[in-house]
Amino acid sequence: MYEMRAEATADQGELIWHVISKGTSASPLCGVPLELSPATAPQLEAAVERYCSSCMDAFSTALKSS
Ligand SMILES: [Zn+2]
């Protein structure tokens, strides 16, 4: 199972959605360490949301191989 987690960029102008494999640590598929913030939904006024392309690539690969 996978879940999405949003992380704000440094200037909080964007939210980046990463894919996290449940049952592992909070490390996303792209390997970028996420900031360990409280497990609440981000309440950020980000202007832009987008998906992490590295996570998406890894996610589609994982789906195909399962
Ligand atoms: Zn990612």
Side-chain angles (χ1 to χ4, degrees):
M1 292 294 293
Y2 295 91
E3 63 179 339
M4 303 294 296
R5 181 165 310 178
E7 184 186 51
T9 53
D11 62 2
Q12 302 202 342
E14 288 184 335
L15 276 182
I16 311 297
W17 287 94
H18 292 276
V19 182
I20 292 172
S21 178
K22 279 189 172 178
T24 66
S25 65
S27 177
L29 299 184
C30 64
V32 172
L34 296 182
E35 214 172 286
L36 291 179
S37 53
T40 56
Q43 298 291 324
L44 302 167
E45 296 182 9
V48 177
E49 293 186 44
R50 60 189 180 90
Y51 295 99
C52 171
S53 58
S54 297
C55 277
M56 289 298 117
D57 287 347
F59 182 51
S60 62
T61 300
L63 285 184
K64 286 173 190 165
S65 65
S66 63

